[in-house]
Amino acid sequence: MRLNKVMEFNKKLILEDGQEYYGCSFGDNSEKVCEIVFNTSMAGYQEILSDPSYTYQAVVMTYPLIGNYGMADDDYETAVPTIGAMIVREYNDEPSNFRSTATLSDVMKKYGIPGISGIDTRKLTRSVRDFGSRKVLITDASTPLEEGIEILNNTELPKNAVSVVSCKKSYVSHAKYEQYHVAAIDCGMKTNIVRSLNQRGCKVTVLPWNTPAVEIEKINPDGIFISNGPGDPTDVPETINTIKSLIGKYPIFGICLGHQIISLAYGAKTYKLKFGHRGGNHPVRNLENGKIEITSQNHSYAVDKNSLQNTKLVPTHINILDETIEGVKCDEDKVFSVQYHPESAPGPQDSAYLFDRFIRIMEEEKCNA
């Protein structure tokens, strides 16, 4: 049976526990070790491919058909995708969307991203849910299992993801009518975050992840934003220390990794989830008004609920599925953050009001100055 599979397929996955999944190669044909995760979104594979938060991760797409609408020039979340790999049930290499300018496979080849199709993604997703995210090897179908396990055992996933994807020097994104100046700390920021701020009259100065607080104060912003990004938030103590120094001086808003960084800056703790939250269909309860928001998420770590009791932060949102913390705030310091993505593209759009809240806080501060 194994020999027949090798003859039929040219690529396979090997997991740390010895599981093997055979399939067909698309994108780049390279061998790579990644952390395996899954995403439950029904659309938006281009935004997923180009989201910097997926650095060093192989993403299993639970939606069965991927590639059918191609790649559009305006829909990238970053100029250079850094996702580890993409794993799909069925890949379509003949996109029909009129906006498409390239196939998914061509873009993946350009940036050295391997893909594998023909996988039983339902079985693989259940494995990740049951046993957690772990290392996976994307390799040639002929690679012996023992050799693959040895490669996995001898490969450590890097902890420098934020420094890899953050901008190397600051730059400015202007709005048509500029009323506010936001200093955005780039830990792997999605393009639509900057666009969302620009649309609300914010001039955005994007700064590298390790910019000291004193340098941020020099540009005299109206507010501070901390972006999403990949990896463990404790791997970026420089950013945490910067936020510690800025708390109480400016309105501060954080998303995803930014949410975790704010919580750590206040003295809370974070921990790694078994398989994380990824997809555009996660229900979150707003504790301030009782409403349910359908959210888009992409993270492996969460804020420890009990550790918040010893800080000035109070929870504002909670995940209905597992009761993890999805938002916090400190009204006294004009700080708030959420674990999910209010700027999510292609959606949902339930939480876009959070950008408006940030604008209101900055406006109040300007009026009180």
Side-chain angles (χ1 to χ4, degrees), residues 10-31:
N10 63 357
K11 210 76 172 175
K12 72 175 177 179
L13 307 174
I14 300 177
L15 277 67
E16 286 182 280
D17 55 10
Q19 293 185 50
E20 294 178 289
Y21 294 80
Y22 289 80
C24 300
S25 175
F26 71 97
D28 192 68
N29 196 37
S30 58
E31 181 175 273

Side-chain angles (χ1 to χ4, degrees), residues 44-311:
Y45 60 76
Q46 177 171 351
E47 290 84 352
I48 292 166
L49 182 87
S50 57
D51 183 344
S53 295
Y54 286 113
T55 302
Y56 303 138
Q57 292 180 330
V59 181
V60 182
M61 300 298 297
T62 62
Y63 190 76
L65 178 61
I66 301 298
N68 53 307
Y69 54 82
M71 305 288 279
D73 292 341
D74 294 334
D75 293 348
Y76 288 91
E77 290 290 3
T78 188
V80 180
T82 53
I83 191 174
M86 189 165 277
I87 303 164
V88 307
R89 175 59 182 170
E90 180 181 347
Y91 171 65
N92 184 306
D93 203 42
E94 298 180 353
S96 56
N97 192 298
F98 73 96
R99 297 176 63 238
S100 175
T101 57
T103 68
L104 173 60
S105 184
D106 285 342
V107 172
M108 291 171 66
K109 287 177 183 176
K110 179 179 179 180
Y111 295 107
I113 302 166
I116 182 168
S117 65
I119 296 292
D120 185 344
T121 49
R122 291 178 298 179
K123 180 181 178 182
L124 183 53
T125 298
R126 285 196 297 268
S127 175
V128 176
R129 282 182 171 150
D130 291 342
F131 303 108
S133 300
R134 52 209 191 277
K135 285 187 290 186
V136 63
L137 172 67
I138 299 96
T139 186
D140 190 83
S142 62
T143 302
L145 176 59
E146 297 76 14
E147 181 182 323
I149 293 296
E150 184 177 0
I151 292 171
L152 287 167
N153 289 339
N154 293 329
T155 304
E156 291 294 327
L157 295 175
K159 295 183 178 294
N160 64 341
V162 169
S163 64
V164 168
V165 298
S166 176
C167 62
K168 303 304 180 258
K169 59 181 181 180
S170 64
Y171 64 92
V172 176
S173 179
H174 288 283
K176 188 173 182 180
Y177 303 105
E178 295 181 345
Q179 297 176 278
Y180 313 98
H181 182 198
V182 174
I185 301 175
D186 177 12
C187 296
M189 185 156 49
K190 295 165 67 177
T191 299
N192 205 40
I193 289 176
V194 177
R195 187 183 297 121
S196 296
L197 290 168
N198 285 159
Q199 289 171 346
R200 290 166 171 81
C202 296
K203 168 188 171 183
V204 182
T205 299
V206 181
L207 301 159
W209 67 281
N210 57 352
T211 304
V214 64
E215 295 300 319
I216 295 176
E217 293 184 73
K218 285 180 181 178
I219 67 173
N220 193 30
D222 297 309
I224 310 294
F225 176 83
I226 314 106
S227 82
N228 64 293
D232 185 340
T234 61
D235 289 339
V236 288
E238 297 92 336
T239 314
I240 296 169
N241 289 332
T242 291
I243 298 305
K244 283 182 181 178
S245 299
L246 296 173
I247 286 173
K249 297 179 180 179
Y250 308 91
I252 300 177
F253 176 28
I255 288 176
C256 199
L257 184 67
H259 160 75
Q260 298 160 16
I261 287 170
I262 285 173
S263 299
L264 290 168
Y266 272 91
K269 297 179 180 179
T270 56
Y271 63 98
K272 189 170 186 180
L273 296 164
K274 185 176 182 180
F275 50 79
H277 298 155
R278 294 173 182 85
N281 45 16
H282 290 259
V284 167
R285 176 175 284 109
N286 185 326
L287 299 177
E288 297 179 299
N289 58 23
K291 292 183 178 180
I292 306 300
E293 301 172 26
I294 302 303
T295 68
S296 177
Q297 306 206 8
N298 176 15
H299 61 103
S300 294
Y301 291 81
V303 174
D304 180 4
K305 184 188 308 184
N306 294 328
S307 70
L308 287 174
Q309 297 174 4
N310 300 318
T311 73

